[in-house]
Amino acid sequence: MSATFAVVVGAVISHWYDGRARSAVHPERAERLGTLVASGLIVGESLWGVINAGLIVGFSKDAPIGLVPEDFALAPWLGLLGFVGAIVWLYGWMLRRSAAAR
């Protein structure tokens, strides 16, 4: 379920971004930037997974770099807000960069 949900969310974001990229001054540049950022997110998530697994094994803790206790109720919502904020900022940055490269 979690993998399927991520694909659906990615497809919705991609559809939105493709529409915005087509109306950019340089649509091919905007599309390349979108592909690069999406690839970077995938690679970054994979690298972070390996680093986190190493930290978990090395420190013998489930959350070796946890900043708040496990029962902190707002943690999932703050994480979601941070993730959505990062995605909006990155795609906005890409659209501004492709518009500035006239």
Side-chain angles (χ1 to χ4, degrees):
M1 176 63 185
S2 62
T4 303
F5 181 70
V7 170
V8 171
V9 169
V12 169
I13 292 171
S14 175
H15 178 73
W16 170 81
Y17 182 77
D18 286 344
R20 298 284 308 260
R22 277 189 226 106
S23 65
V25 175
H26 296 290
E28 62 283 345
R29 179 179 164 83
E31 186 176 327
R32 274 196 322 268
L33 278 172
T35 302
L36 288 172
V37 168
S39 299
L41 288 171
I42 292 168
V43 171
E45 191 272 337
S46 299
L47 289 174
W48 173 247
V50 171
I51 292 168
N52 192 38
L55 290 172
I56 289 170
V57 170
F59 289 107
S60 298
K61 291 174 63 178
D62 285 339
I65 59 170
L67 300 175
V68 295
E70 286 184 38
D71 59 349
F72 184 64
L74 292 178
W77 296 107
L78 291 174
L80 179 64
L81 181 66
F83 178 74
V84 169
I87 296 298
V88 168
W89 178 78
L90 282 170
Y91 278 98
W93 173 79
M94 286 186 308
L95 289 171
R96 287 188 303 277
R97 292 276 301 189
S98 56
R102 293 182 184 157

